[in-house]
Amino acid sequence: MDIVRTHSLVKRYDNRTVVDDVNLAIPEGCVYGFLGPNGSGKSTTMKLLLSLIRPTSGEVEVFGRPMNSDTRRELLTGIGSLIESPPGYGHLTGAENMKIVQRYLGSTDDQITRAVATVRLQDQLNKKVKNYSLGMKQRLGIAMALAREPRLLVLDEPTNGLDPAGIEEIRALLKHLAEHGVTVMVSSHLLGEIDKTANVLGILSEGRLILQGSRDQLLAASTPDVVIDILGSDNPNSTAEQQLRDRETLRIPSVDDLHTAHVVGELVASGAGVYGVRRDEQSLDDVFMNLTSGGRL
Ligand SMILES: Nc1ncnc2c1ncn2[C@@H]1O[C@H](COP(=O)(O)OP(=O)(O)O)[C@@H](O)[C@H]1O
Ligand SMILES: [Mg+2]
């Protein structure tokens, strides 16, 4: 079952389309990596899912039910979120901040204890939040989002600005949550930060969802470059040494197998010494860069 679905979701500001006909499908229990360069519309889409802003057109469906003014309150009780910078009052301690959230959400003591333990902040709760590292602030933000044990957690760039150890900590936390049945949607503008954590990826470019699927599906959807190795020199009288010395490599992007066979046939017919034809392996990073036009900012 999909825990989130959107149907032709559109958000326009003035005449700019910021979210453009987006159809998300987030399967229950997964970590959904929501990727796209800065400005591609990730935060806006997440705000639409959380009903913080209204769509220009289209629909959001959460837990199999449409999000609207009648269902909004009830559906939101099942969603925890961390949008943009981490919340929390700096001059209060972690414990005091959690107390405020508890009162606001009506969470039990047990729920708060579990949320804090999940992000491993139990030993830092008596420090003022202004003395927390960025990683600790993010973890406190996640604890707040977990305070009512949501089925769905929506995290907007929780690894932004963290050092590698902090990023690793968040990754481990997201995996742990998914293993305990929480569906996690997490955004990033850097594939590497969530690539190995997410089992489903959605890639946004200029407001459009250009790809959605498992890591393997995304890799399969890319067509690796064909690389053809050719001996040098058209001169039939050149020596083997000359031919080897002047050899060259042709690179042809996004061609299918039939077209490749045709190109090789033409080369051979014209007398070229083709000695190698292969597909260049692409990493998921290359796919992401190609799809999002070099991660243009
Ligand atoms: N309230 C708003 N009014 C006008 N434009 C906005 C507003 N919010 C976001 N935008 C624009 O929408 C685009 C997408 O923004 P955003 O969703 O924040 O992207 P991302 O989170 O992927 O960086 C940006 O060009 C941004 O300037
Ligand atoms: Mg954003």
Side-chain angles (χ1 to χ4, degrees):
M1 174 194 142
D2 289 328
I3 206 159
V4 174
R5 277 186 160 276
T6 68
H7 304 282
S8 305
L9 197 60
V10 173
K11 181 68 183 177
R12 275 192 212 101
Y13 285 115
D14 302 321
N15 282 325
R16 267 195 67 212
T17 306
V18 168
V19 174
D20 191 357
D21 197 28
V22 165
N23 295 294
L24 291 177
I26 305 185
E28 179 150 32
C30 75
V31 175
Y32 185 98
F34 194 38
L35 290 158
N38 287 325
S40 56
K42 302 180 298 296
S43 297
T44 306
T45 305
M46 287 174 144
K47 287 177 193 162
L48 288 166
L49 295 184
L50 296 166
S51 191
L52 294 171
I53 54 175
R54 287 161 60 96
T56 305
S57 63
E59 275 155 37
V60 172
E61 203 181 290
V62 183
F63 312 133
R65 294 171 56 201
M67 175 79 83
N68 56 42
S69 52
D70 294 334
T71 58
R72 180 178 184 275
R73 269 182 81 91
E74 190 193 335
L75 292 178
L76 287 178
T77 60
I79 311 178
S81 63
L82 175 59
I83 299 287
E84 282 156 6
S85 53
Y89 299 102
H91 61 285
L92 299 181
T93 65
E96 287 163 342
N97 272 288
M98 288 307 292
K99 199 80 201 166
I100 291 173
V101 171
Q102 177 174 11
R103 245 181 265 136
Y104 172 71
L105 295 178
S107 311
T108 64
D109 288 347
D110 273 356
Q111 284 178 316
I112 295 296
T113 307
R114 274 199 295 273
V116 168
T118 301
V119 302
R120 297 196 294 109
L121 267 185
Q122 61 273 28
D123 297 333
Q124 316 284 345
L125 275 188
N126 295 323
K127 274 192 197 164
K128 287 199 172 167
V129 169
K130 66 179 178 201
N131 298 324
Y132 277 15
S133 67
L134 182 59
M136 285 160 67
K137 284 183 187 156
Q138 292 287 29
R139 276 151 58 204
L140 181 67
I142 295 174
M144 290 176 167
L146 288 173
R148 59 180 159 193
E149 300 189 275
R151 279 173 77 187
L152 170 65
L153 191 61
V154 177
L155 303 175
D156 193 10
E157 309 232 18
T159 50
N160 223 359
L162 297 187
D163 58 16
I167 292 171
E168 194 46 50
E169 196 146 13
I170 299 282
R171 277 191 195 137
L173 175 57
L174 301 188
K175 272 195 186 142
H176 170 88
L177 288 168
E179 280 159 17
H180 289 76
V182 182
T183 306
V184 182
M185 178 190 200
V186 53
S187 69
S188 180
H189 64 284
L190 297 171
L191 174 64
E193 288 191 357
I194 49 172
D195 153 32
K196 293 189 181 63
T197 320
N199 27 39
V200 184
L201 296 170
I203 300 181
L204 205 60
S205 176
E206 297 173 349
R208 285 179 306 111
L209 191 65
I210 49 176
L211 265 184
Q212 179 171 241
S214 68
R215 290 165 50 85
D216 293 345
Q217 279 171 324
L218 293 195
L219 274 175
S222 72
T223 323
D225 293 356
V226 168
V227 178
I228 303 175
D229 302 307
I230 309 170
L231 291 175
S233 178
D234 297 334
N235 181 352
N237 299 325
S238 60
T239 63
E241 287 78 28
Q242 277 171 327
Q243 291 189 349
L244 280 172
R245 193 190 56 221
D246 298 338
R247 64 188 155 183
E248 46 186 318
T249 296
L250 274 181
R251 175 178 291 271
I252 315 175
S254 45
V255 286
D256 61 19
D257 290 347
L258 275 177
H259 192 77
T260 304
H262 181 74
V263 170
V264 172
E266 298 259 294
L267 283 168
V268 172
S270 73
V274 174
Y275 69 92
V277 180
R278 59 203 142 85
R279 290 228 180 238
D280 223 10
E281 282 301 313
Q282 261 189 319
S283 70
L284 206 48
D285 239 348
D286 298 330
V287 176
F288 180 62
M289 291 303 259
N290 288 344
L291 288 170
T292 59
S293 328
R296 186 170 55 224
L297 298 182

Coordinates of all heavy atoms in Angstrom, one line a residue, residues 208-286:
R208 N 9.2 19.1 -11.6 CA 8.7 17.9 -12.2 C 9.3 16.7 -11.6 O 10.6 16.7 -11.5 CB 8.8 18.0 -13.7 CG 7.7 18.9 -14.3 CD 7.9 18.9 -15.8 NE 9.2 19.3 -16.2 CZ 10.1 18.4 -16.8 NH1 9.7 17.2 -17.1 NH2 11.3 18.8 -17.1
L209 N 8.5 15.7 -11.3 CA 9.1 14.4 -10.8 C 9.6 13.6 -12.1 O 8.8 13.1 -12.8 CB 8.0 13.6 -10.1 CG 8.5 12.4 -9.3 CD1 9.4 12.8 -8.2 CD2 7.3 11.6 -8.8
I210 N 10.9 13.7 -12.3 CA 11.4 13.1 -13.6 C 11.6 11.6 -13.5 O 11.7 10.9 -14.5 CB 12.6 13.8 -14.1 CG1 13.6 14.0 -13.0 CG2 12.2 15.2 -14.7 CD1 14.9 14.6 -13.5
L211 N 11.8 11.1 -12.3 CA 11.9 9.6 -12.1 C 11.5 9.2 -10.7 O 11.7 10.0 -9.8 CB 13.4 9.2 -12.3 CG 13.8 8.7 -13.6 CD1 15.3 8.3 -13.5 CD2 13.0 7.6 -14.2
Q212 N 10.9 8.1 -10.6 CA 10.5 7.6 -9.3 C 10.6 6.0 -9.4 O 10.1 5.4 -10.3 CB 9.1 8.0 -9.0 CG 8.5 7.5 -7.7 CD 7.2 8.2 -7.4 OE1 7.1 8.8 -6.4 NE2 6.2 8.0 -8.2
G213 N 11.3 5.5 -8.4 CA 11.4 4.0 -8.4 C 12.5 3.6 -7.5 O 13.1 4.4 -6.7
S214 N 12.8 2.3 -7.5 CA 13.8 1.7 -6.6 C 15.2 2.2 -7.2 O 15.2 2.6 -8.4 CB 13.7 0.2 -6.6 OG 14.1 -0.3 -7.8
R215 N 16.2 2.0 -6.4 CA 17.6 2.4 -6.9 C 17.9 1.6 -8.2 O 18.4 2.2 -9.2 CB 18.6 2.0 -5.9 CG 18.6 2.8 -4.6 CD 19.5 2.0 -3.6 NE 20.8 1.6 -4.1 CZ 21.8 2.3 -4.1 NH1 21.8 3.5 -3.7 NH2 23.0 1.9 -4.6
D216 N 17.5 0.3 -8.2 CA 17.9 -0.5 -9.4 C 17.1 -0.1 -10.6 O 17.6 0.0 -11.7 CB 17.5 -2.0 -9.1 CG 18.5 -2.5 -8.1 OD1 19.5 -1.9 -7.8 OD2 18.2 -3.6 -7.5
Q217 N 15.8 0.3 -10.4 CA 15.0 0.8 -11.5 C 15.6 2.1 -12.1 O 15.6 2.3 -13.3 CB 13.6 1.1 -11.1 CG 12.7 -0.2 -11.0 CD 11.4 0.1 -10.3 OE1 11.3 0.9 -9.4 NE2 10.3 -0.6 -10.8
L218 N 16.1 2.9 -11.2 CA 16.6 4.2 -11.7 C 17.9 4.0 -12.5 O 18.1 4.6 -13.5 CB 16.9 5.1 -10.5 CG 15.7 5.6 -9.7 CD1 16.0 6.8 -8.9 CD2 14.6 6.1 -10.7
L219 N 18.7 3.0 -12.0 CA 20.0 2.7 -12.7 C 19.6 2.1 -14.1 O 20.2 2.5 -15.1 CB 20.8 1.7 -11.9 CG 21.7 2.4 -10.9 CD1 22.4 1.3 -10.1 CD2 22.8 3.3 -11.5
A220 N 18.6 1.3 -14.1 CA 18.2 0.6 -15.4 C 17.7 1.6 -16.3 O 17.8 1.5 -17.6 CB 17.2 -0.5 -15.1
A221 N 17.0 2.7 -15.8 CA 16.4 3.7 -16.7 C 17.4 4.6 -17.4 O 17.1 5.2 -18.4 CB 15.5 4.6 -15.8
S222 N 18.6 4.5 -16.9 CA 19.7 5.3 -17.5 C 20.3 4.5 -18.7 O 20.4 3.3 -18.6 CB 20.7 5.7 -16.5 OG 21.5 4.6 -16.2
T223 N 20.7 5.2 -19.7 CA 21.4 4.5 -20.8 C 22.8 4.9 -20.7 O 23.2 6.0 -21.0 CB 20.8 4.9 -22.2 OG1 19.4 5.0 -22.1 CG2 21.1 3.8 -23.2
P224 N 23.7 3.9 -20.3 CA 25.1 4.3 -20.2 C 25.7 4.6 -21.6 O 25.2 4.1 -22.6 CB 25.8 3.0 -19.7 CG 24.7 2.1 -19.2 CD 23.4 2.5 -20.0
D225 N 26.7 5.5 -21.7 CA 27.4 5.8 -22.9 C 28.0 4.5 -23.5 O 28.4 3.6 -22.8 CB 28.6 6.8 -22.6 CG 28.1 8.1 -22.2 OD1 26.8 8.3 -22.2 OD2 28.9 9.0 -21.9
V226 N 28.0 4.5 -24.9 CA 28.7 3.4 -25.6 C 30.1 4.0 -25.9 O 30.2 5.1 -26.4 CB 28.0 3.1 -26.9 CG1 28.8 2.2 -27.8 CG2 26.6 2.4 -26.6
V227 N 31.1 3.1 -25.6 CA 32.5 3.5 -25.9 C 33.0 2.6 -26.9 O 32.9 1.4 -26.8 CB 33.3 3.5 -24.6 CG1 34.7 3.8 -24.9 CG2 32.7 4.4 -23.6
I228 N 33.5 3.1 -28.0 CA 34.1 2.3 -29.1 C 35.6 2.6 -29.3 O 36.0 3.8 -29.4 CB 33.3 2.6 -30.5 CG1 31.8 2.4 -30.3 CG2 33.9 1.7 -31.6 CD1 31.0 2.7 -31.5
D229 N 36.4 1.6 -29.2 CA 37.8 1.7 -29.4 C 38.2 1.4 -30.8 O 37.8 0.4 -31.4 CB 38.6 0.7 -28.5 CG 38.2 1.0 -27.0 OD1 38.3 2.1 -26.5 OD2 37.8 0.0 -26.4
I230 N 39.0 2.3 -31.4 CA 39.3 2.2 -32.8 C 40.8 2.4 -33.0 O 41.4 3.3 -32.4 CB 38.6 3.3 -33.7 CG1 37.1 3.3 -33.4 CG2 38.8 3.0 -35.2 CD1 36.4 4.5 -34.0
L231 N 41.4 1.6 -33.9 CA 42.8 1.7 -34.2 C 43.0 3.0 -35.0 O 42.1 3.4 -35.7 CB 43.3 0.5 -35.0 CG 43.4 -0.8 -34.3 CD1 43.8 -1.9 -35.2 CD2 44.4 -0.7 -33.1
G232 N 44.2 3.6 -34.8 CA 44.4 4.9 -35.5 C 44.8 4.7 -37.0 O 45.0 3.6 -37.4
S233 N 44.8 5.8 -37.7 CA 45.3 5.9 -39.1 C 44.4 5.2 -40.1 O 44.2 4.0 -40.0 CB 46.7 5.3 -39.1 OG 47.2 5.4 -40.5
D234 N 44.0 6.0 -41.1 CA 43.2 5.5 -42.2 C 44.1 4.9 -43.2 O 43.6 4.3 -44.2 CB 42.3 6.6 -42.8 CG 41.3 7.1 -41.7 OD1 41.0 6.3 -40.8 OD2 40.9 8.3 -41.9
N235 N 45.4 5.2 -43.1 CA 46.3 4.8 -44.2 C 46.6 3.3 -44.1 O 47.1 2.8 -43.1 CB 47.6 5.6 -43.9 CG 48.6 5.3 -45.0 OD1 48.4 4.4 -45.8 ND2 49.7 6.1 -45.0
P236 N 46.2 2.6 -45.2 CA 46.4 1.1 -45.1 C 47.8 0.7 -45.0 O 48.1 -0.4 -44.7 CB 45.7 0.7 -46.4 CG 45.6 1.9 -47.3 CD 45.6 3.1 -46.4
N237 N 48.7 1.7 -45.4 CA 50.1 1.3 -45.4 C 50.8 1.5 -44.0 O 52.0 1.3 -43.8 CB 50.9 2.1 -46.4 CG 50.4 1.8 -47.8 OD1 50.0 0.6 -48.1 ND2 50.3 2.8 -48.6
S238 N 50.0 2.1 -43.0 CA 50.6 2.4 -41.7 C 50.9 1.1 -41.0 O 50.3 0.1 -41.2 CB 49.7 3.3 -40.9 OG 48.5 2.6 -40.7
T239 N 51.9 1.1 -40.2 CA 52.4 -0.1 -39.5 C 51.5 -0.4 -38.3 O 50.8 0.5 -37.9 CB 53.8 0.1 -39.0 OG1 53.8 1.1 -38.0 CG2 54.8 0.4 -40.1
A240 N 51.6 -1.6 -37.8 CA 50.8 -2.0 -36.6 C 51.1 -1.0 -35.5 O 50.2 -0.6 -34.7 CB 51.1 -3.4 -36.3
E241 N 52.4 -0.7 -35.3 CA 52.8 0.2 -34.2 C 52.1 1.6 -34.3 O 51.6 2.1 -33.4 CB 54.3 0.4 -34.2 CG 55.1 -0.7 -33.7 CD 55.3 -1.8 -34.8 OE1 55.2 -1.5 -36.0 OE2 55.4 -3.0 -34.4
Q242 N 52.1 2.1 -35.6 CA 51.4 3.4 -35.8 C 49.9 3.3 -35.5 O 49.4 4.2 -34.8 CB 51.6 3.8 -37.3 CG 52.9 4.5 -37.5 CD 53.1 4.7 -39.0 OE1 52.7 3.9 -39.9 NE2 53.8 5.8 -39.3
Q243 N 49.3 2.2 -35.9 CA 47.9 2.1 -35.7 C 47.5 2.0 -34.2 O 46.6 2.6 -33.7 CB 47.4 0.8 -36.4 CG 47.4 0.9 -37.9 CD 46.7 -0.2 -38.6 OE1 46.3 -1.2 -37.9 NE2 46.5 -0.1 -39.9
L244 N 48.4 1.3 -33.5 CA 48.2 1.2 -32.0 C 48.4 2.6 -31.3 O 47.7 3.0 -30.5 CB 49.1 0.2 -31.4 CG 48.6 -1.3 -31.6 CD1 49.6 -2.3 -31.1 CD2 47.3 -1.5 -30.8
R245 N 49.5 3.3 -31.8 CA 49.9 4.5 -31.2 C 48.8 5.6 -31.4 O 48.5 6.3 -30.5 CB 51.2 5.0 -31.8 CG 51.8 6.1 -31.0 CD 53.0 6.8 -31.7 NE 52.6 7.2 -33.1 CZ 53.3 7.1 -34.2 NH1 54.4 6.5 -34.1 NH2 52.8 7.5 -35.3
D246 N 48.1 5.6 -32.5 CA 47.1 6.6 -32.8 C 45.7 6.2 -32.5 O 44.8 6.8 -33.0 CB 47.2 7.0 -34.3 CG 48.6 7.6 -34.7 OD1 49.3 8.1 -33.7 OD2 49.0 7.5 -35.9
R247 N 45.6 5.1 -31.8 CA 44.2 4.6 -31.5 C 43.4 5.7 -30.8 O 43.9 6.5 -30.0 CB 44.2 3.3 -30.8 CG 44.8 3.4 -29.4 CD 45.0 2.0 -28.8 NE 46.0 2.0 -27.8 CZ 46.4 0.9 -27.2 NH1 45.9 -0.3 -27.5 NH2 47.4 0.9 -26.3
E248 N 42.1 5.6 -31.0 CA 41.3 6.6 -30.3 C 40.0 5.9 -29.8 O 39.7 4.8 -30.1 CB 40.9 7.7 -31.3 CG 40.5 7.3 -32.6 CD 40.4 8.5 -33.6 OE1 39.8 9.5 -33.1 OE2 40.8 8.5 -34.7
T249 N 39.3 6.7 -29.0 CA 38.1 6.2 -28.4 C 36.9 7.1 -28.7 O 37.0 8.3 -28.6 CB 38.2 6.2 -26.8 OG1 39.3 5.2 -26.6 CG2 37.0 5.7 -26.1
L250 N 35.8 6.5 -29.2 CA 34.6 7.3 -29.5 C 33.6 7.1 -28.4 O 33.5 5.9 -28.0 CB 34.0 6.7 -30.8 CG 34.4 7.2 -32.2 CD1 33.5 6.5 -33.2 CD2 34.2 8.7 -32.3
R251 N 33.0 8.1 -28.0 CA 32.0 8.0 -26.9 C 30.6 8.5 -27.5 O 30.5 9.6 -27.9 CB 32.4 8.8 -25.7 CG 31.4 8.8 -24.6 CD 31.9 9.6 -23.4 NE 33.0 8.9 -22.8 CZ 32.9 8.0 -21.8 NH1 31.6 7.8 -21.4 NH2 33.9 7.4 -21.3
I252 N 29.6 7.6 -27.4 CA 28.3 8.0 -28.0 C 27.3 7.9 -26.8 O 27.0 6.8 -26.3 CB 27.9 7.0 -29.1 CG1 29.1 6.8 -30.1 CG2 26.7 7.6 -29.9 CD1 28.8 5.8 -31.2
P253 N 26.7 9.0 -26.4 CA 25.7 9.0 -25.3 C 24.4 8.5 -25.8 O 24.0 8.7 -26.9 CB 25.7 10.5 -24.9 CG 26.1 11.3 -26.1 CD 27.0 10.4 -26.9
S254 N 23.7 7.9 -24.8 CA 22.3 7.4 -25.0 C 21.9 6.9 -26.3 O 21.0 7.4 -27.0 CB 21.3 8.5 -24.5 OG 21.6 9.8 -25.0
V255 N 22.5 5.8 -26.7 CA 22.1 5.1 -27.9 C 21.7 3.7 -27.5 O 22.2 3.1 -26.6 CB 23.1 5.0 -29.0 CG1 23.3 6.3 -29.7 CG2 24.5 4.4 -28.5
D256 N 20.7 3.1 -28.2 CA 20.3 1.7 -27.8 C 21.2 0.7 -28.6 O 22.1 1.1 -29.4 CB 18.8 1.5 -28.1 CG 18.5 1.7 -29.6 OD1 19.4 1.7 -30.4 OD2 17.3 1.9 -29.9
D257 N 20.9 -0.6 -28.3 CA 21.8 -1.6 -28.8 C 21.7 -1.7 -30.4 O 22.8 -1.9 -31.0 CB 21.4 -3.0 -28.3 CG 21.7 -3.1 -26.8 OD1 22.5 -2.2 -26.3 OD2 21.2 -4.0 -26.1
L258 N 20.5 -1.5 -31.0 CA 20.4 -1.5 -32.4 C 21.2 -0.4 -33.1 O 22.0 -0.7 -34.0 CB 18.9 -1.4 -32.8 CG 18.1 -2.6 -32.8 CD1 16.6 -2.3 -33.2 CD2 18.7 -3.6 -33.8
H259 N 21.1 0.7 -32.5 CA 21.9 1.9 -33.1 C 23.4 1.6 -32.9 O 24.1 2.0 -33.8 CB 21.4 3.1 -32.4 CG 21.9 4.4 -33.0 ND1 21.3 4.9 -34.2 CD2 22.9 5.2 -32.7 CE1 22.0 6.0 -34.6 NE2 22.9 6.2 -33.7
T260 N 23.7 1.1 -31.8 CA 25.2 0.8 -31.6 C 25.7 -0.1 -32.6 O 26.8 0.1 -33.2 CB 25.4 0.2 -30.2 OG1 24.8 1.0 -29.2 CG2 26.8 -0.1 -29.9
A261 N 24.9 -1.2 -32.9 CA 25.3 -2.2 -33.9 C 25.5 -1.5 -35.3 O 26.4 -1.8 -36.0 CB 24.3 -3.3 -34.0
H262 N 24.6 -0.6 -35.6 CA 24.6 0.1 -36.8 C 25.9 0.9 -36.9 O 26.6 0.9 -38.0 CB 23.4 1.0 -36.9 CG 23.3 1.8 -38.2 ND1 23.0 1.2 -39.4 CD2 23.5 3.1 -38.5 CE1 23.0 2.1 -40.4 NE2 23.3 3.2 -39.8
V263 N 26.2 1.7 -35.9 CA 27.4 2.5 -35.9 C 28.7 1.7 -36.1 O 29.5 2.0 -36.9 CB 27.5 3.4 -34.6 CG1 28.8 4.1 -34.5 CG2 26.3 4.4 -34.5
V264 N 28.7 0.6 -35.3 CA 29.9 -0.3 -35.4 C 30.0 -0.8 -36.9 O 31.1 -0.9 -37.5 CB 29.9 -1.4 -34.4 CG1 31.0 -2.4 -34.6 CG2 29.9 -0.9 -33.0
G265 N 28.9 -1.3 -37.4 CA 28.9 -1.8 -38.8 C 29.4 -0.7 -39.8 O 30.3 -1.1 -40.7
E266 N 29.0 0.5 -39.7 CA 29.4 1.6 -40.5 C 30.9 1.8 -40.4 O 31.6 2.0 -41.4 CB 28.7 2.9 -40.2 CG 27.2 2.8 -40.4 CD 26.8 3.5 -41.7 OE1 27.0 4.7 -41.8 OE2 26.3 2.8 -42.6
L267 N 31.4 1.8 -39.2 CA 32.8 2.0 -38.9 C 33.7 0.9 -39.6 O 34.7 1.2 -40.2 CB 33.1 2.1 -37.4 CG 32.7 3.3 -36.7 CD1 32.7 3.1 -35.2 CD2 33.6 4.5 -37.1
V268 N 33.2 -0.3 -39.3 CA 34.0 -1.4 -39.9 C 33.9 -1.4 -41.4 O 35.0 -1.6 -42.1 CB 33.4 -2.8 -39.4 CG1 34.1 -4.0 -40.1 CG2 33.6 -2.9 -37.9
A269 N 32.8 -1.1 -42.0 CA 32.6 -1.0 -43.4 C 33.5 0.1 -44.0 O 34.0 -0.1 -45.1 CB 31.2 -0.8 -43.8
S270 N 33.8 1.1 -43.2 CA 34.6 2.2 -43.8 C 36.1 1.9 -43.5 O 37.0 2.7 -43.8 CB 34.3 3.5 -43.1 OG 34.7 3.5 -41.8
G271 N 36.4 0.7 -43.0 CA 37.8 0.2 -42.9 C 38.4 0.6 -41.5 O 39.6 0.4 -41.3
A272 N 37.6 1.0 -40.6 CA 38.2 1.4 -39.2 C 38.5 0.1 -38.5 O 37.7 -0.9 -38.6 CB 37.2 2.2 -38.4
G273 N 39.5 0.1 -37.7 CA 39.9 -1.1 -37.0 C 39.3 -1.1 -35.6 O 39.9 -0.7 -34.6
V274 N 38.0 -1.5 -35.6 CA 37.3 -1.5 -34.3 C 37.8 -2.7 -33.4 O 37.7 -3.8 -33.9 CB 35.8 -1.6 -34.5 CG1 35.0 -1.8 -33.2 CG2 35.2 -0.4 -35.3
Y275 N 38.3 -2.4 -32.3 CA 38.8 -3.5 -31.4 C 38.1 -3.6 -30.1 O 38.4 -4.4 -29.3 CB 40.3 -3.4 -31.3 CG 40.8 -2.3 -30.4 CD1 41.0 -2.4 -29.1 CD2 41.1 -1.1 -31.0 CE1 41.5 -1.4 -28.3 CE2 41.6 0.0 -30.3 CZ 41.8 -0.2 -28.9 OH 42.2 0.9 -28.2
G276 N 37.2 -2.7 -29.8 CA 36.5 -2.7 -28.5 C 35.2 -2.0 -28.6 O 35.1 -0.9 -29.1
V277 N 34.1 -2.6 -28.0 CA 32.8 -1.9 -27.9 C 32.3 -2.2 -26.5 O 32.2 -3.4 -26.1 CB 31.8 -2.3 -28.9 CG1 30.5 -1.6 -28.8 CG2 32.3 -2.1 -30.4
R278 N 32.0 -1.2 -25.7 CA 31.5 -1.5 -24.4 C 30.6 -0.3 -23.9 O 30.5 0.7 -24.5 CB 32.6 -1.6 -23.4 CG 33.5 -0.4 -23.3 CD 34.9 -0.9 -22.8 NE 36.0 -0.1 -23.4 CZ 36.4 1.1 -23.1 NH1 35.9 1.7 -22.0 NH2 37.3 1.8 -23.7
R279 N 29.8 -0.6 -22.9 CA 29.0 0.4 -22.2 C 29.7 0.9 -21.0 O 30.2 0.1 -20.2 CB 27.6 -0.1 -21.9 CG 26.8 -0.4 -23.1 CD 25.4 0.1 -22.9 NE 24.6 -0.1 -24.1 CZ 24.0 0.8 -24.8 NH1 24.2 2.1 -24.5 NH2 23.3 0.5 -25.8
D280 N 29.8 2.2 -20.8 CA 30.4 2.7 -19.6 C 29.5 2.6 -18.4 O 28.3 3.0 -18.5 CB 30.7 4.2 -19.9 CG 32.1 4.6 -19.4 OD1 32.8 3.7 -19.1 OD2 32.3 5.8 -19.4
E281 N 30.0 2.0 -17.4 CA 29.2 1.9 -16.2 C 28.8 3.3 -15.6 O 29.7 4.2 -15.6 CB 29.9 1.1 -15.1 CG 29.9 -0.4 -15.3 CD 28.5 -1.0 -15.3 OE1 27.7 -0.6 -14.5 OE2 28.3 -1.7 -16.3
Q282 N 27.6 3.5 -15.3 CA 27.2 4.8 -14.7 C 26.9 4.5 -13.2 O 26.2 3.6 -12.9 CB 26.0 5.3 -15.4 CG 26.3 6.3 -16.4 CD 25.0 7.0 -16.9 OE1 24.0 6.3 -17.1 NE2 25.0 8.3 -17.1
S283 N 27.3 5.5 -12.4 CA 26.9 5.4 -11.0 C 25.5 6.1 -10.9 O 25.2 6.9 -11.8 CB 27.9 6.1 -10.1 OG 27.9 7.5 -10.3
L284 N 24.9 5.9 -9.8 CA 23.6 6.5 -9.5 C 23.8 8.1 -9.5 O 23.0 8.8 -9.9 CB 23.0 6.1 -8.2 CG 21.5 6.1 -8.1 CD1 20.8 5.6 -9.3 CD2 21.1 5.5 -6.8
D285 N 25.0 8.5 -9.1 CA 25.4 9.9 -9.1 C 25.4 10.5 -10.5 O 24.9 11.6 -10.7 CB 26.8 10.0 -8.5 CG 26.8 10.9 -7.3 OD1 25.8 11.6 -7.1 OD2 27.9 11.0 -6.6
D286 N 26.0 9.7 -11.4 CA 26.0 10.2 -12.8 C 24.5 10.3 -13.3 O 24.2 11.3 -14.0 CB 26.7 9.2 -13.8 CG 28.2 9.0 -13.4 OD1 28.7 10.0 -12.8 OD2 28.7 7.9 -13.6

